[in-house]
């Protein structure tokens, strides 16, 4: 059905390509970092007390931490208090990394079945436990299961792979049963697949069943959709033969109630979790096509537009490119018309930079004249935070990462654009998802200030850049 590959993903997009994502670390770090169990904030006692008080609101989360001496993992609460001892060799989701929501399978013939990166995202950053069971590896058997907030096994470790719970189910894989899904009670509700994605909005995608080959069922490098009962879903349910059920070139990621199905006749097509067309977005101008689109976040989705003569029609001369970026709402309408000549041209569309997904009612975007980044009001497309930063990331929990133009370092800003954590550190991480805040805390890496030799640490910090829990990298 011609599903286009979603190259925009959740990271936003840029004309010159997606830049390497960067991680901020705390300002004013004390010299040296202790490494017994978890090294907690070494700032003054008053700073630590402030951090603890500010994080009471996020007490429903636990945060993964590593013992620098044993390299084992455990969890602390929002105040930095150890809740689960560092006793696990590996976790299914680690700080600074997006949680994997797909399984892989390597059969004996040496080939590999896997799911490509189809833009799936998790609403919490890596290494954060909410009320769902959390995937962990048993250090004795090396099998995977799920732990609860006391560190006890909620689902016994008996799997070769275990992924984060999503949409109420955990994705697991075992050699005898293939890929499947467990509920919070550890019951296997569907299984027997070669590989699978996690559920989103009640839909998951599979690459086939273990016995398909002997039954003569061909997948043709395509995927099928299933519901939570393991029944065929979307267009897979309408197919007349088993082979025809594998009708998707790419799995569809649903977010905010809709999923980007693909591009048809220059329009972006989104469907709901029942397979019905939810919206069809177009540029509204002859010769200008939408060529790619991202998932909906906070009620808005980013789109990429192309048109050979679009700039000339808009009254601009000397434009060397033919690509622009825009924002649509849930009706499919453009927040601003990117082909209309306007003094607000640069607030939404940029030929050389890009635009990120929405968060907190704002969208990080790059001014096409200055090349600097600021934040648009998602509803109006007007600047809410002026473009003053060399890079900017989406808002979450009232905080966002921004890169200071003068120092080229990262800091944390609030929704007025004011620095809450002074930009002093130059830290990089290729995973944008790790920039998402969880209950007012963010993961970061930092080089400690002072001492005979620099010490690089990683851990969890609050919006003021104060370590709540940290350890040697």
């Amino acid at each position: 059905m011609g599903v286009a590959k979603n190259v925009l993903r959740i990271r936003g997009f840029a004309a010159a390509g997606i830049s390497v994502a960067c991680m901020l670390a705390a300002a004013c770090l004390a010299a040296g970092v202790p490494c017994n169990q978890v090294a907690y904030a070494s700032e003054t006692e008053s700073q630590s007390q402030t951090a603890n008080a500010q994080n009471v609101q996020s007490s429903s989360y636990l945060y993964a931490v590593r013992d620098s001496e044993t390299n084992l993992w455990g969890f602390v609460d929002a105040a930095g208090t150890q809740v689960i001892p560092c006793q696990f060799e590996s976790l299914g989701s680690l700080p600074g990394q997006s949680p994997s929501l797909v399984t892989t399978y390597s059969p004996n013939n040496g080939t590999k079945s896997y799911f490509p990166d189809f833009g799936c995202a998790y609403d919490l950053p890596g290494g954060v436990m909410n009320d769902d069971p959390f995937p962990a590896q048993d250090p004795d058997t090396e099998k995977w299961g799920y732990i609860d907030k006391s560190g006890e096994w909620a689902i016994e470790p008996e799997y070769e792979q275990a992924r984060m719970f999503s949409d109420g189910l955990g994705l697991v894989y075992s050699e005898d049963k293939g890929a499947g899904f467990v509920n919070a009670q550890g019951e296997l509700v569907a299984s027997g697949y070669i590989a699978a994605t996690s559920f989103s909005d009640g839909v998951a995608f599979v690459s086939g069943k273990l016995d398909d080959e002997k039954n003569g069922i061909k997948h043709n490098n395509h995927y099928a959709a299933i519901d939570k009962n393991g029944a065929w879903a979307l267009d897979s349910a309408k197919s007349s033969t088993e082979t025809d059920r594998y009708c998707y070139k790419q799995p569809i990621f649903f977010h905010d109630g809709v999923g980007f199905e693909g591009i048809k006749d220059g329009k972006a097509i989104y469907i709901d979790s029942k397979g019905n067309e939810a919206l069809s977005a177009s540029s509204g101008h002859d010769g200008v096509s939408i060529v790619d689109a991202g998932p909906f976040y906070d009620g808005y989705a980013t789109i990429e537009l192309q048109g050979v003569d679009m700039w000339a029609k808009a009254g601009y001369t000397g434009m060397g490119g033919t690509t622009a970026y825009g924002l649509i709402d849930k009706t499919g309408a453009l927040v601003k018309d990117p082909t209309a000549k306007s003094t607000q041209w640069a607030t939404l569309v940029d030929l050389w930079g890009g635009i990120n997904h929405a968060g907190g009612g704002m969208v990080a975007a790059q001014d096409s004249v200055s090349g600097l980044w600021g934040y648009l009001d998602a509803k109006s497309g007007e600047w809410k935070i002026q473009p003053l930063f060399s890079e900017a990331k989406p808002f979450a929990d009232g905080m966002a990462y921004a890169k200071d133009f003068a120092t080229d370092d990262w800091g944390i800003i609030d929704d007025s654009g004011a620095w809450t954590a002074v930009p002093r550190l130059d830290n990089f991480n290729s995973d944008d998802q790790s920039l998402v805040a969880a209950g007012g805390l963010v993961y970061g890496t930092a080089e400690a200030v002072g001492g005979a030799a620099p010490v690089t640490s990683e851990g969890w910090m609050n919006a003021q850049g104060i370590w709540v829990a940290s350890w040697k990298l």
Side-chain angles (χ1 to χ4, degrees):
M1 50 191 293
V3 179
K5 183 177 181 181
N6 181 8
V7 297
L8 310 182
R9 303 188 181 93
I10 62 170
R11 303 180 181 177
F13 26 82
I18 300 174
S19 63
V20 177
C22 301
M23 294 304 298
L24 167 73
C28 303
L29 296 177
V33 180
C35 56
N36 291 329
Q37 292 294 325
V38 178
Y40 299 113
S42 55
E43 288 86 353
T44 65
E45 183 178 354
S46 62
Q47 286 177 314
S48 298
Q49 290 173 347
T50 300
N52 292 347
Q54 290 169 335
N55 289 301
V56 171
Q57 60 174 333
S58 57
S59 59
S60 62
Y61 296 124
L62 295 182
Y63 304 86
V65 293
R66 183 171 62 86
D67 186 312
S68 298
E69 293 183 345
T70 67
N71 286 328
L72 297 178
W73 290 91
F75 287 85
V76 299
D77 63 18
T81 302
Q82 191 95 35
V83 176
I84 300 175
C86 294
Q87 58 188 342
F88 300 103
E89 289 189 13
S90 187
L91 299 173
S93 174
L94 295 174
Q97 301 176 16
S98 294
S100 175
L101 297 180
V102 300
T103 59
T104 58
Y105 166 67
S106 297
N108 295 329
N109 61 14
T111 61
K112 188 171 184 179
S113 175
Y114 67 96
F115 276 88
D117 179 2
F118 64 104
C120 61
Y122 195 68
D123 287 335
L124 287 175
V128 177
M129 183 191 301
N130 56 13
D131 292 331
D132 289 323
F134 192 93
Q137 188 178 32
D138 186 343
D140 296 324
T141 66
E142 296 188 350
K143 295 286 188 178
W144 286 84
Y146 292 84
I147 59 173
D148 59 24
K149 285 187 173 180
S150 69
E152 299 296 326
W153 292 111
I155 300 173
E156 290 297 320
E158 55 180 293
Y159 301 102
E160 275 67 54
Q161 299 178 40
R163 305 303 189 216
M164 294 290 289
F165 263 64
S166 176
D167 210 7
L169 295 174
L171 175 60
V172 295
Y173 177 83
S174 61
E175 291 181 354
D176 58 337
K177 297 179 181 178
F181 302 90
V182 295
N183 59 24
Q185 290 73 46
E187 300 166 333
L188 204 59
V189 298
S191 63
Y193 304 103
I194 295 174
T197 71
S198 297
F199 275 94
S200 63
D201 279 12
V203 179
F205 288 80
V206 299
S207 63
K209 287 207 160 189
L210 298 177
D211 56 356
D212 279 351
E213 185 174 348
K214 70 177 183 180
N215 292 332
I217 299 171
K218 305 296 183 182
H219 305 142
N220 302 319
N221 294 319
H222 282 46
Y223 307 93
I226 61 171
D227 64 20
K228 287 187 174 183
N229 296 315
W232 302 113
L234 305 180
D235 283 347
S236 296
K238 306 172 187 176
S239 301
S240 57
T241 69
E242 291 296 307
T243 292
D244 289 342
R245 298 194 191 281
Y246 298 93
C247 55
Y248 292 90
K249 291 182 179 179
Q250 185 86 0
I252 298 173
F253 169 62
F254 290 88
H255 200 266
D256 274 13
V258 295
F260 173 56
E261 183 181 32
I263 301 296
K264 184 178 181 180
D265 299 327
K267 298 179 181 180
I269 309 299
Y270 288 82
I271 61 174
D272 61 25
S273 58
K274 301 296 183 183
N276 302 315
E277 184 175 301
L279 65 98
S280 173
S282 68
S283 71
H285 295 264
D286 293 337
V288 180
S289 299
I290 297 177
V291 295
D292 210 344
F296 271 85
Y297 277 83
D298 210 23
Y300 299 90
T302 46
I303 58 170
E304 180 181 350
L305 296 146
Q306 283 187 356
V308 175
D309 58 349
M310 63 186 301
W311 314 127
K313 285 184 177 181
Y316 293 92
T317 60
M319 293 293 187
T322 61
T323 301
Y325 303 99
L327 196 69
I328 57 173
D329 61 22
K330 278 293 187 73
T331 71
L334 289 159
V335 172
K336 272 186 174 290
D337 185 348
T339 61
K341 186 174 182 179
S342 167
T343 57
Q344 299 299 323
W345 168 268
T347 63
L348 189 62
V349 179
D350 174 64
L351 293 173
W352 320 117
I355 185 170
N356 255 306
H357 68 70
M362 290 187 281
V363 179
Q366 188 180 36
D367 181 79
S368 60
V369 177
S370 67
L372 296 177
W373 286 74
Y375 291 86
L376 308 171
D377 177 87
K379 187 175 183 179
S380 68
E382 305 290 346
W383 289 115
K384 190 170 182 179
I385 298 175
Q386 292 297 314
L388 301 171
F389 311 105
S390 54
E391 289 187 55
K393 300 299 179 183
F395 268 89
D397 287 343
M399 57 199 298
Y401 286 87
K403 198 172 189 180
D404 183 50
F405 176 74
T407 65
D408 206 34
D409 291 328
W410 288 87
I412 299 176
I413 60 173
D414 62 19
D415 56 12
S416 72
W419 295 109
T420 63
V422 179
R424 295 185 180 181
L425 301 150
D426 189 17
N427 298 276
F428 297 91
N429 188 294
S430 61
D431 190 349
D432 272 13
Q433 183 66 10
S434 59
L435 297 172
V436 179
L441 296 186
V442 293
Y443 164 82
T445 62
E447 187 173 280
V449 178
V455 176
T456 301
S457 298
E458 61 180 324
W460 298 97
M461 63 189 72
N462 64 14
Q464 287 68 46
I466 299 172
W467 287 122
V468 172
S470 63
W471 59 95
K472 272 187 180 181
L473 185 61

